[in-house]
Amino acid sequence: MTRYSLRAVKPSDRELLLKWRNSKRVRSVMFTDRLISKREHETWFSKLRNREDAVYRIFQIDGKPAGLVSFTGIKPTSGECTWGFYLGNARLPNGTGSRMCSLALQEAFQRLGIKRVRGESFSSNKRAIAVHEQLGF
């Protein structure tokens, strides 16, 4: 039986996240669509681990990293945030993105105390739009 889980980002994820962020498949649907330098990534990675207004989680399948979910701009007083997500591996079964996002929303609402999640996507990112619609956005 396949086991899906989320865990906190660890220092050992640094290189894998850069690889994912710089993959053409991920870059093509991100706001930063150019190659990210190692130095720029190091700055981003250092900040993400210390941000009080954000939570980043690695999505795992059977204990192996498969994607990233972020909740940023968390406003404790209103419980609002913006989320982002991507699968790092292109060779995953259909429906994996929906599973990741469902699990992430459970994390947000049940563990992080989030009350409202906002999402943004390029109109050309049909898969992300479909996942959002499937989840009730």
Side-chain angles (χ1 to χ4, degrees), residues 67-107:
L68 179 76
V69 178
S70 63
F71 299 99
T72 59
I74 298 172
K75 298 177 184 172
T77 54
S78 65
E80 295 180 33
C81 73
T82 300
W83 79 331
F85 54 87
Y86 57 82
L87 291 170
N89 186 340
R91 294 186 177 129
L92 295 170
N94 286 341
T96 301
S98 294
R99 288 184 183 266
M100 175 179 67
C101 291
S102 292
L103 190 61
L105 291 175
Q106 286 177 10
E107 172 96 354

